[in-house]
Amino acid sequence: MNLINYTFTSPSAEAQSAKFTTNKIGKSPKPFSRISRPRLCLLAAPPSSAPPPPPPPRDGARPAARRLPFTAAAPSPSLRPSSSALRSRTARLGGAAPAPAPSSLFGNRVGVFLAGDEERRQLAGGCGRVWASQRGYRKVRRRTGKSKERELELNVSICIEEDLPDDPEILSIAELLRLNVPMAMKLAFDGLNDATYQTRDTAIEDVGGFQSVELSVLLCNDDFIRKLNKEWRDEDHATDVLSMSQHVPGLKLPILMLGDIVISVETAARQAEERGHTLLDEIRILMVHGLLHLLGFDHELSEEAEAEMEKEEELLLKSLGWKGKGLIQSAYDTKTDTDPHAENPDDDLPKDRKREGSFRFYKPKFSYIFCDMDGTLLNSECRISLTNAKALKEALSRGVKVVIATGKARPSVINILKTVDLAGKDGVISQSTPGVFLQGLLVYGRQGREIYRRNLDPDVCREAFIYSREHGIPLVAFCEDRCLTLFEHPLVDSVHTIYREPKAEIMPSIEDLLAAADIQKMIFLDTTEGVATNLRPYWSEATGARANVVQAVPDMLEIVPPGTSKGSGVKLLLDHLGVAPKEVMAIGDGENDIEMLELASLGIALSNGSEKTKAVANLIGVSNDEDGVADAIYRYAF
């Protein structure tokens, strides 16, 4: 029997960042490869010196990875979790491959070993391999005797998928995996030599016959692994781990291309919380499970195969001193501890909607979210739901800036968001945050300083209050942080009690009202029918070019200065902040939101919005009574 000594190698941080995408934190290069989605389809052409490709495998032969569609074993009749239950958490991809072994899933790293001598020298020099003495590993003392001695090089690539953000915990785990994965490989290889298995595929048998072993581990999110499932298994859901073998039996190479292990850190985090251990513990468990799949274990074949793989998982984890049960046992425990009739709220989530708490695993698509209040962030009861509040807080925590663009006055917005802990220094709004108010007539920039104000023509205001007094239709003037009116009325009270605007002050006369403050806008209050049949037709004609009439809600008619709009206020603020429209996602419902939605890179109108608004939007979301803002953020912002 050959004695195998192991040398662990891992490309240096500088080499990995140079070979792939260089992402920097401050001045330090990222220590892990960044892999973008298109690299998946790259296949390495065989070098001229490589052996000819093997013939297609016969029936019963071990299939080469990634070429065959996934096939499921029949469900087990036992009380243990069925194959389909386990397959929802893990899968092994296999298939016939008439072509030579494809490159690694994560780029052309395998090309280092398939290239010609000159290329090999160049690539090896660029990789900056770190040997045991350099990495601080204890050197293996060579034994004396007649036994033949080998040194098996373990080459492990730890990669982070391009769309996974720079999360400190994930980066720390990736660094630990550089040490953990070779340790697990060594113990697993030793087990193949020391034990007899009844169900393991023995296509990989004498590991000591190779000069080196290649393995890649990719950390990704649910979206990425769902796409892999859809592409390779035709199953549109996320799993925790996928094993993708690269080994081609019969192809005589000095390198064992073991394959790729893809782990969804997002799913791993949920499972770690459910099972009461850390994210690192769960990722180690998934890595061991994926490694055993690549070595020929398959729990989906039969109950005997499941028991054999479960035993090997537990043995490896125990030998390594790692916490947690094996994935098979954990899945069984979850199956028996959970009420089979209990509903899981996540089961009804659309495929494109992220789960609450999952934004740490995705990069934001936009720097800013501009959001309307009435009919958008607020429901029909003029309240902000806890679901909407959670979505905004989670977006803020990931560095996305949320800016309110509304017809309301700033004090009103602050009071409303204060009820869900979103007002203040670290919230959505405060006296020192940017915002667009009173339909774009008051715009505040950096540090909450006023950068734009537009007032109504006093003659238009005088005519409107004369009309209000003669017809008994309440009219409220908005003057920065104050509201003024001529007489008491239940609808005037509702502006404060329902819409949370400043309480209207009753002025003794029109002249006193006009002298009290500059007026930015006015709102007539009536029934929906009264606004549509009387007020809007009359004042659209009466104001002429001196003012515009707009509607945010059906039972109110707003009179604002001409040439102004919420959209123009948003554009002015973006210019002030130096933000391009492509960095903006906007959510609204009313006609006063049309320009804002058109300006943004992604404009979303809620389904309760006006038909004109929905006609110009890029997407139509669910209604404000269905947490439309949260739904839009969880679907499209990350």
Side-chain angles (χ1 to χ4, degrees):
M1 176 178 177
N2 292 337
L3 296 177
I4 305 174
N5 290 330
Y6 296 90
T7 300
F8 302 160
T9 72
S10 175
S12 66
E14 293 78 12
Q16 290 204 34
S17 60
K19 289 185 66 177
F20 293 89
T21 303
T22 301
N23 290 319
K24 294 186 177 181
I25 304 174
K27 296 184 178 180
S28 302
K30 272 193 60 61
F32 301 102
S33 306
R34 281 288 183 177
I35 308 303
S36 59
R37 180 70 177 86
R39 301 187 84 98
L40 278 174
C41 299
L42 295 176
L43 299 179
S48 58
S49 59
R58 298 184 297 273
D59 292 342
R62 175 182 172 85
R66 296 174 30 181
R67 284 300 203 185
L68 280 184
F70 180 82
T71 55
S76 167
S78 72
L79 294 178
R80 297 182 66 77
S82 65
S83 298
S84 59
L86 281 174
R87 191 169 62 254
S88 69
R89 299 185 179 277
T90 180
R92 180 184 179 198
L93 307 184
S103 68
S104 167
L105 175 64
F106 317 127
N108 296 322
R109 188 170 301 284
V110 173
V112 173
F113 301 93
L114 295 181
D117 291 341
E118 181 61 29
E119 290 174 316
R120 179 173 179 176
R121 282 193 294 272
Q122 292 174 357
L123 289 173
C127 276
R129 290 190 184 173
V130 183
W131 297 90
S133 59
Q134 296 172 286
R135 292 285 288 173
Y137 296 100
R138 182 174 60 85
K139 292 183 179 180
V140 179
R141 181 174 296 175
R142 295 180 177 272
R143 298 182 184 180
T144 58
K146 297 181 179 180
S147 298
K148 186 177 179 182
E149 198 174 79
R150 286 180 176 272
E151 187 176 81
L152 180 62
E153 182 184 333
L154 305 182
N155 293 301
V156 177
S157 297
I158 307 299
C159 306
I160 296 175
E161 200 269 322
E162 184 63 34
D163 288 336
L164 207 60
D166 294 330
D167 184 88
E169 184 180 11
I170 295 173
L171 294 174
S172 176
I173 288 172
E175 183 64 47
L176 287 171
L177 288 178
R178 283 180 168 173
L179 306 178
N180 293 166
V181 176
M183 290 165 57
M185 292 169 68
K186 178 185 181 303
L187 283 177
F189 294 162
D190 288 345
L192 299 185
N193 293 329
D194 299 338
T196 302
Y197 303 98
Q198 301 300 317
T199 63
R200 188 182 77 86
D201 187 331
T202 57
I204 298 176
E205 189 169 9
D206 184 14
V207 178
F210 295 93
Q211 293 179 9
S212 62
V213 180
E214 279 274 314
L215 176 66
S216 293
V217 178
L218 174 68
L219 304 180
C220 66
N221 55 34
D222 277 2
D223 275 3
F224 187 88
I225 209 165
R226 178 184 289 115
K227 290 173 184 176
L228 286 183
N229 274 311
K230 181 67 174 177
E231 181 176 354
W232 298 106
R233 302 171 60 204
D234 199 26
E235 295 186 12
D236 192 12
H237 61 83
T239 49
D240 46 14
V241 59
L242 288 175
S243 300
M244 307 181 75
S245 175
Q246 299 292 328
H247 178 57
V248 181
L251 188 60
K252 302 299 182 182
L253 291 174
I255 173 177
L256 170 57
M257 294 180 290
L258 199 56
D260 309 306
I261 301 173
V262 186
I263 296 174
S264 171
V265 185
E266 183 178 352
T267 296
R270 291 196 302 272
Q271 293 178 175
E273 184 176 358
E274 293 167 3
R275 294 164 185 172
H277 51 238
T278 67
L279 179 57
L280 173 61
D281 294 333
E282 184 65 21
I283 288 177
R284 283 170 166 170
I285 291 168
L286 297 177
M287 182 269 292
V288 166
H289 187 86
L291 176 61
L292 291 178
H293 265 305
L294 294 178
L295 293 177
F297 293 89
D298 193 345
H299 56 81
E300 296 180 359
L301 294 177
S302 64
E303 289 185 19
E304 183 182 7
E306 181 181 289
E308 194 166 68
M309 185 172 179
E310 178 185 347
K311 180 180 178 181
E312 195 67 17
E313 279 186 341
E314 299 292 343
L315 179 62
L316 273 178
L317 290 170
K318 184 177 180 180
S319 300
L320 289 162
W322 293 347
K323 296 180 181 179
K325 301 176 182 178
L327 186 60
I328 298 173
Q329 181 62 47
S330 296
Y332 174 67
D333 290 346
T334 302
K335 182 82 171 179
T336 54
D337 293 344
T338 304
D339 180 2
H341 303 292
E343 292 185 4
N344 183 353
D346 287 344
D347 291 343
D348 296 329
L349 283 178
K351 299 296 183 185
D352 60 347
R353 175 167 171 159
K354 312 292 186 298
R355 292 175 172 84
E356 290 183 14
S358 66
F359 285 170
R360 63 178 291 204
F361 305 112
Y362 296 87
K363 289 183 177 179
K365 297 178 182 177
F366 306 97
S367 301
Y368 284 81
I369 296 175
F370 278 72
C371 187
D372 173 48
M373 290 290 290
D374 293 314
T376 302
L377 185 57
L378 303 182
N379 57 25
S380 297
E381 298 177 351
C382 294
R383 297 181 182 276
I384 177 171
S385 70
L386 291 180
T387 301
N388 278 345
K390 286 180 182 178
L392 291 176
K393 289 176 182 177
E394 199 168 348
L396 289 169
S397 72
R398 302 308 302 172
V400 177
K401 296 176 178 62
V402 180
V403 178
I404 298 299
T406 179
K408 289 182 172 298
R410 182 163 68 172
S412 169
V413 178
I414 292 175
N415 289 334
I416 292 172
L417 294 187
K418 198 178 285 183
T419 63
V420 289
D421 197 28
L422 277 172
K425 181 180 178 182
D426 298 322
V428 170
I429 188 171
S430 71
Q431 295 287 349
S432 59
T433 56
V436 178
F437 303 96
L438 300 180
Q439 307 295 10
L441 303 175
L442 274 174
V443 182
Y444 299 96
R446 295 185 184 91
Q447 283 76 51
R449 295 172 183 167
E450 181 182 308
I451 61 172
Y452 180 78
R453 175 195 292 257
R454 181 77 181 274
N455 300 327
L456 267 171
D457 183 339
D459 290 339
V460 173
C461 297
R462 181 177 288 103
E463 292 172 20
F465 275 103
I466 292 173
Y467 182 96
S468 168
R469 187 175 57 189
E470 290 179 350
H471 293 81
I473 298 175
L475 176 67
V476 177
F478 285 74
C479 314
E480 193 173 353
D481 294 344
R482 301 171 64 191
C483 287
L484 309 178
T485 191
L486 287 177
F487 53 83
E488 293 184 355
H489 193 281
L491 291 179
V492 172
D493 293 338
S494 72
V495 172
H496 174 65
T497 59
I498 296 177
Y499 293 98
R500 314 283 185 87
E501 298 287 5
K503 185 174 178 60
E505 304 171 35
I506 308 300
M507 305 304 291
S509 68
I510 295 176
E511 294 306 320
D512 288 331
L513 189 152
L514 295 177
D518 292 329
I519 298 173
Q520 283 81 53
K521 74 169 186 176
M522 300 179 293
I523 296 183
F524 276 107
L525 308 170
D526 201 354
T527 63
T528 300
E529 182 181 1
V531 170
T533 59
N534 299 319
L535 289 174
R536 183 155 192 168
Y538 177 85
W539 283 102
S540 293
E541 182 177 348
T543 56
R546 298 177 299 163
N548 291 339
V549 295
V550 297
Q551 277 187 268
V553 291
D555 55 359
M556 297 182 183
L557 184 73
E558 303 188 31
I559 300 179
V560 299
T564 61
S565 66
K566 185 187 295 185
S568 63
V570 170
K571 186 176 188 312
L572 190 149
L573 179 57
L574 291 179
D575 291 342
H576 168 76
L577 297 173
V579 177
K582 67 179 181 180
E583 301 177 56
V584 176
M585 168 177 153
I587 312 171
D589 72 301
E591 291 181 24
N592 59 331
D593 294 317
I594 288 177
E595 290 182 49
M596 178 177 74
L597 300 188
E598 290 179 321
L599 178 66
S601 174
L602 180 66
I604 301 173
L606 302 192
S607 60
N608 56 284
S610 73
E611 293 304 317
K612 289 182 180 179
T613 307
K614 290 189 282 189
V616 303
N618 300 111
L619 296 167
I620 298 175
V622 301
S623 75
N624 62 327
D625 288 329
E626 299 172 286
D627 306 314
V629 169
D631 186 78
I633 290 173
Y634 284 124
R635 283 177 186 262
Y636 309 116
F638 287 79

